Amino acid sequence: MFQAIRVTEYWQRACVYYIRLDEFVHEFPGGVAHELDSGDTPETPYILVMDERGKPVGTCRLHYLGDGVAKIERVSVLKEFRRTGAGRVVITAAEEWLRENGIRRIHINSRDTAIGFYERLGYVTDWSSHKGSKGGPMGFGVVDTYKNLTDE
């Protein structure tokens, strides 16, 4: 069982950074300076997912683009919690929060290896946006996915 939290406390933000650094710094090239960027501010909205013991296991960052459009960014789930439903909880909690704030369309720039996960959640893949590769500087390719919340 997982619980999604809309981050408001300092300790929750620390958990967000812990998860992201664990995945992106240890599993992919790029380092801390690439992962933590100007999009990470005290006002940035984040989702944090905790397990039944209170352990932080997943997170994402929300970015409002205007005109009813937003991005879910920096989606990350600790390796040992992948394929357990934690990722689905992260995304559905983010969608709910965005929907409450009038968002009608969501974009997610996904690693190409995670496309199936997003498609199962109703996202459409725009393969024309594909860039990078496993051998590239980030260690993976990226492709845009989107979902219209008004279609549900």
Side-chain angles (χ1 to χ4, degrees), residues 55-76:
K55 179 179 180 175
V57 300
T59 188
C60 72
R61 176 172 84 185
L62 307 181
H63 182 180
Y64 293 89
L65 302 174
D67 292 329
V69 179
K71 286 180 76 175
I72 298 175
E73 303 175 327
R74 300 300 204 258
V75 178
S76 183

Side-chain angles (χ1 to χ4, degrees), residues 15-37 40 46 57-61 72-79 82 90 108-114 118 137-142:
C15 291
V16 165
Y17 296 156
Y18 160 76
I19 294 165
R20 285 175 44 197
L21 292 176
D22 184 75
E23 178 176 4
F24 290 104
V25 174
H26 294 119
E27 293 184 44
F28 302 105
V32 175
H34 176 77
E35 179 53 29
L36 300 178
D37 61 21
D40 295 302
Y46 298 97
V57 300
T59 188
C60 72
R61 176 172 84 185
I72 298 175
E73 303 175 327
R74 300 300 204 258
V75 178
S76 183
V77 174
L78 294 176
K79 195 170 194 172
R82 294 178 195 154
V90 169
I108 301 175
N109 288 336
S110 171
R111 288 189 300 267
D112 49 12
T113 57
Y118 293 110
M138 289 305 299
F140 52 84
V142 177

Side-chain angles (χ1 to χ4, degrees), residues 2-4 47-50 85-94 117 121:
F2 299 105
Q3 176 189 11
I47 294 291
L48 172 65
V49 171
M50 311 282 275
R88 177 179 290 273
V89 173
V90 169
I91 299 300
T92 56
F117 168 74
L121 293 174

Side-chain angles (χ1 to χ4, degrees), residues 129-142:
S129 69
H130 188 258
K131 58 186 169 243
S133 67
K134 186 172 182 149
M138 289 305 299
F140 52 84
V142 177

Side-chain angles (χ1 to χ4, degrees), residues 82-141:
R82 294 178 195 154
R83 301 188 183 276
T84 66
R88 177 179 290 273
V89 173
V90 169
I91 299 300
T92 56
E95 289 174 351
E96 181 180 316
W97 196 0
L98 292 168
R99 186 180 285 110
E100 288 172 13
N101 284 286
I103 297 301
R104 297 179 311 278
R105 184 178 178 104
I106 299 171
H107 288 267
I108 301 175
N109 288 336
S110 171
R111 288 189 300 267
D112 49 12
T113 57
I115 290 302
F117 168 74
Y118 293 110
E119 288 178 342
R120 286 189 295 279
L121 293 174
Y123 285 80
V124 176
T125 303
D126 176 8
W127 284 106
S128 70
S129 69
H130 188 258
K131 58 186 169 243
S133 67
K134 186 172 182 149
M138 289 305 299
F140 52 84

